[in-house]
Amino acid sequence: MTTGGDERRRLPGLEGPLWRALLVFRIAALGYAAVLMVNNFRHYAWPPGGFVIIVVMAVWTAVSSLAYARPERRGWPLLIADLAVAAACLLASRWIVHPAGLGVGAPTLPMAWVAGPVVAWAIAGGRRRGAIAAILLSVADVIVRNGVSQATLNGPVLMILAGIGVGHIARLAIDAEARLQRASELEAATRERERLARGIHDSVLQVLALVQRRGAELGGEAAELGRLAGAQESVLRSLIAAASPVPPADAATDLRPLLNAYASAGVTIAAPATPVLLPASVADEVAAAVGAALDNVSRHAGPQARAWILLEELAERVTVSIRDDGDGIAEGRLAEAERDGRLGVAQSIRGRIRDLGGSVSVSSVAGNGTEVELTVPR
């Protein structure tokens, strides 16, 4: 649950102990309130009311603690009900305890028990929500005591400080655990990637290098097979040498390593020296669209065609241009391919970029190559 700047990722591993600590606090505060009530009830304006309120507090402590133990129930209905019950028990003190005593700082019936909802709001939503709950209960305390004085101000001030402090500490702790979890996931992904890289290096890359050498020695069609093997070897080496594993889906990703994976003897890539950051899902889609464009180059531009990828970063958008020196696209060929159900450009390229809110332009002259420009907003 989030409130303004108190956005936090829920991690039950840490929230569970916080809610259990709240349960311990509620029980201890309930016991303290009961002891004070037993010692002072003879001086109350309506003594039986003190026992009634203690029973209500005990019942609600049990009900709310069972509800808070289930994460799916820690929503607004329970939080508001918790605050309402505490406020009602606090306001009841006005008719049960002597008003004159309350005005000079005599304890209310719930005493510290009213801080339970403040702590619950702080754990559920951070310091802002904790402060809001504390202020609302402080208003009820002012009403009960018929105004504010130096003797009656301590309780509200402590509640507000507790709401802010507990909310801030809870948010920091859970954010720290979220970062630790992401770091652990990245470390595990890095180790798996290194293991796969060793396997590829010890087997696939050596075989491709052998095919490339033997093909060059034999000549003819074998030479073309060797050239293709060399190109694939270059692609695999680029993948192995990529800077980092894929980060979590909500993180920013540098687009450059994803494009560098396409580098080969026939594909040249030019990119800025600094990271080009996009949301991971956006970067993946852009890289997939570039891969589809390069696939079209290998299929339709001619066996000797080369391709160049240019990555540009502007304040509002990122642009990737894929240019080749192949045979080009005849006028009307793209529309004809789409009618025939060949949707490489229409779906794999245009569809992907359109879903990202971007645009695609294709420029081609028969015999003079093709340029595909992909533009996505930042």
Side-chain angles (χ1 to χ4, degrees):
M1 304 177 72
T2 60
T3 301
D6 289 324
E7 293 188 1
R8 300 179 296 115
R9 184 178 178 180
R10 282 192 170 277
L11 292 175
L14 183 57
E15 285 198 24
L18 290 175
W19 290 110
R20 287 193 291 272
L22 174 60
L23 171 60
V24 173
F25 170 80
R26 283 181 184 272
I27 294 174
L30 175 64
Y32 182 56
V35 169
L36 284 182
M37 189 275 298
V38 170
N39 289 337
N40 298 325
F41 81 98
R42 295 182 182 84
H43 307 293
Y44 289 169
W46 183 42
F51 290 97
V52 172
I53 295 301
I54 290 297
V55 170
V56 170
M57 290 165 55
V59 171
W60 182 248
T61 296
V63 171
S64 62
S65 298
L66 291 174
Y68 281 128
R70 303 179 63 177
E72 68 275 10
R73 293 192 175 180
R74 297 170 190 163
W76 280 111
L78 178 58
L79 291 170
I80 292 174
D82 197 6
L83 191 69
V85 171
C89 292
L90 181 60
L91 291 170
S93 301
R94 183 174 176 83
W95 294 276
I96 297 173
V97 182
H98 283 292
L102 290 173
V104 295
T108 60
L109 287 171
M111 279 294 293
W113 187 84
V114 295
V118 175
V119 176
W121 279 50
I123 296 173
R127 56 183 178 270
R128 290 188 183 180
R129 196 176 291 180
I132 290 172
I135 291 171
L136 292 175
L137 287 176
S138 296
V139 170
D141 191 82
V142 169
I143 294 173
V144 166
R145 298 184 184 279
N146 245 348
V148 178
S149 67
Q150 185 174 353
T152 63
L153 198 58
N154 292 334
V157 170
L158 288 175
M159 272 199 298
I160 293 174
L161 292 178
I164 295 174
V166 172
H168 185 65
I169 292 172
R171 180 180 61 85
L172 290 179
I174 294 176
D175 282 348
E177 185 165 330
R179 288 193 294 270
L180 178 61
Q181 179 175 315
R182 288 195 294 269
S184 299
E185 291 171 354
L186 287 175
E187 181 182 3
T190 300
R191 290 180 178 176
E192 177 64 12
R193 181 173 164 276
E194 291 174 350
R195 185 187 67 81
L196 293 174
R198 288 193 297 268
I200 291 172
H201 182 272
D202 294 341
S203 56
V204 179
L205 289 179
Q206 293 182 7
V207 172
L208 290 175
L210 176 61
V211 171
Q212 182 183 18
R213 289 197 304 271
R214 292 294 294 158
E217 293 171 0
L218 295 173
E221 293 184 359
E224 175 63 16
L225 180 61
R227 186 187 68 80
L228 293 175
Q232 292 305 309
E233 180 191 6
S234 177
V235 171
L236 281 176
R237 288 190 184 278
S238 298
L239 287 172
I240 292 174
S244 62
V246 177
D250 59 348
T253 297
D254 186 0
L255 181 58
R256 298 176 305 165
L258 300 180
L259 299 185
N260 287 337
Y262 296 119
S264 67
V267 179
T268 302
I269 299 176
T274 55
V276 179
L277 298 177
L278 290 172
S281 58
V282 175
D284 289 341
E285 289 295 284
V286 172
V290 171
L294 292 175
D295 184 59
N296 284 339
V297 173
S298 64
R299 289 172 180 269
H300 307 298
Q304 303 301 321
R306 290 181 52 82
W308 292 265
I309 299 175
L310 174 62
L311 173 61
E312 299 177 278
E313 180 184 24
L314 300 175
E316 300 84 11
R317 63 184 184 275
V318 170
T319 300
V320 183
S321 301
I322 306 98
R323 181 174 60 86
D324 66 70
D325 60 357
D327 299 331
I329 303 175
E331 185 176 354
R333 181 72 182 112
L334 292 179
E336 180 184 348
E338 187 171 350
R339 287 195 300 270
D340 293 342
R342 297 191 294 275
L343 304 177
V345 173
Q347 293 298 332
S348 297
I349 301 177
R350 292 189 190 276
R352 277 192 169 99
I353 303 303
R354 181 184 63 244
D355 291 345
L356 300 176
S359 61
V360 176
S361 66
V362 180
S363 303
S364 180
V365 177
N368 289 319
T370 303
E371 180 174 3
V372 179
E373 184 176 272
L374 317 177
T375 301
V376 292
R378 294 303 302 269

